[in-house]
Amino acid sequence: MSRQISFVLAGAAAVVAVILIAISASLTVVLAVGLGFLAGYLTFNALYSKSNRQADAPRLAKGSVSTDSTSTEIFALGKLFEATLGGMREGLLVVDSDMRVIASNPAAHRLFSFSRNNLESQRLTELTRNPAIYTAFLDALKGNERSGVKVETHGTGRRIFDLRVVPLNNGRNGDTSGAIGVFFDITQIEKLERVRQEFLSNVSHELRTPLTAILAFVETLETGALEDNDDNRRFLAIIRKNAARMRDLIDDILELSAIEAGNVEVETEEIELGALINDVITALGAKASSRSIAVKNKVPPGTKIVADPRRLEQMLTNLVDNAIKFNRDGGEVVISCETEEDSTRVMVQDTGDGIPSQHLERLFERFYRVDRARSKEMGGTGLGLAIVKHLARAHGGEVRVTSELGKGSVFEIDLPRTNGRV
């Protein structure tokens, strides 16, 4: 009997594993085989029904079949299946022909927000009112495989699943005795797809504006304005400004992509913070002077920081440049620092209008702007703060912002005080 059990399990496992691999490219071989053995176990239970047990009764009476060894093997296999199911990230439900759950795993319990230890004997309609789930299992019970069924839940948080269901045959006459469904969590994949679509949309929009301006003024020059000495230089200056804006945007996109892909190496060393800040102030001095904005370096002399000099200068340039852009005329930008035992915090404070609290959480996203019209007028690409965030994290640090309407904002870069290569 032990050998018969093994044959049944192995055969069912192989068949179901092949089916599962065939219908799901994202399903790993290990998972498929594990589910196959689960299906084999369930198939065996179905095959070894009451009539089979009655047929074995005479041999059991004669002692030719060991009930202890058979029970022990089934128990061990059950523990194996339980461990396999418990380790799966995917939710799994197995239903019989009456749409009652006969097997499930913890991931499925979390999916259906079920507080009990198992879902067994529950009807599918008792677990969910989602018509997509019910229809997929119903079709499988009719012998039709279903894949690519998108299921959304709205419990503690919106989650999206790709449901795939296959029928289970009883092995005798080919009739369907149940169905096995796997819920793949694709929430993060869907989120990344939305981010990708938003990124492409934003890039297209950001490039379209300067391109439109360039084409318009080129057409104006072509239709006779080229000979107009009063306007042609002004038109050319506008074309140059928009071309420079496109160049800056492309440079920032390439830079951000390289940082996010991990292709930017951060070589940290101990440097003097005050001297680096003075270089940043000098580079932006003309822009600040044009609006009578005072930029002050309040970092104590001799203060050291562990960072990549070029990347830290890039981060501070972006922050100070923004502090000047969004400041009031005659305002002030103060750069200071605080040193703790395990980190150094560099702060850039302005006296601008401040940022509404609802925007703070998304401020470091790509192309996110509080005031789109004003940002474009100032010439920003919308990627500066995203670059600062990723460079800070490349150092093992973080960047944050606090703001008060009418008083200004404070951007902080926290960097660890560790030396070496990050």
Side-chain angles (χ1 to χ4, degrees), residues 15-33 35 88-92 145-149 161-166 180-186 189:
V15 172
V16 178
V18 169
I19 293 174
L20 289 172
I21 294 173
I23 68 168
S24 174
S26 62
L27 190 62
T28 64
V29 175
V30 174
L31 175 58
V33 172
L35 294 180
M88 288 173 54
R89 291 180 299 176
E90 295 81 4
L92 181 138
E145 297 179 5
R146 290 293 303 274
S147 62
V149 179
F161 295 87
D162 180 17
L163 172 60
R164 311 206 171 179
V165 189
V166 295
I180 179 170
V182 183
F183 295 81
F184 297 92
D185 192 338
I186 58 172
I189 296 175

Side-chain angles (χ1 to χ4, degrees), residues 357-365 401:
S357 58
Q358 67 268 25
H359 296 287
L360 295 179
E361 185 177 350
R362 300 188 60 190
L363 202 59
F364 295 95
E365 294 180 9
V401 59

Side-chain angles (χ1 to χ4, degrees), residues 6 22 46 67 71 77 96 107 121 153 159 161 168 179 216 227 257 263 270 276 286 331 348 358 369 402 420:
S6 300
T67 56
S71 300
L77 288 170
D96 60 17
S121 300
T153 62
R159 297 170 67 192
F161 295 87
L168 293 177
E227 307 299 330
S257 297
N263 296 329
E270 191 174 66
L276 187 144
V348 178
Q358 67 268 25
R369 292 185 172 99
T402 57

Side-chain angles (χ1 to χ4, degrees), residues 62 66 93 116 122 131 144 170 253 276 290 332 339 341-342 398:
K62 296 178 180 180
S66 172
L93 276 184
R116 302 182 203 174
Q122 299 290 317
N144 302 316
N170 60 22
I253 290 173
L276 187 144
S290 66
E332 185 177 82
T339 302
E341 183 178 352
D342 57 352
E398 193 56 80

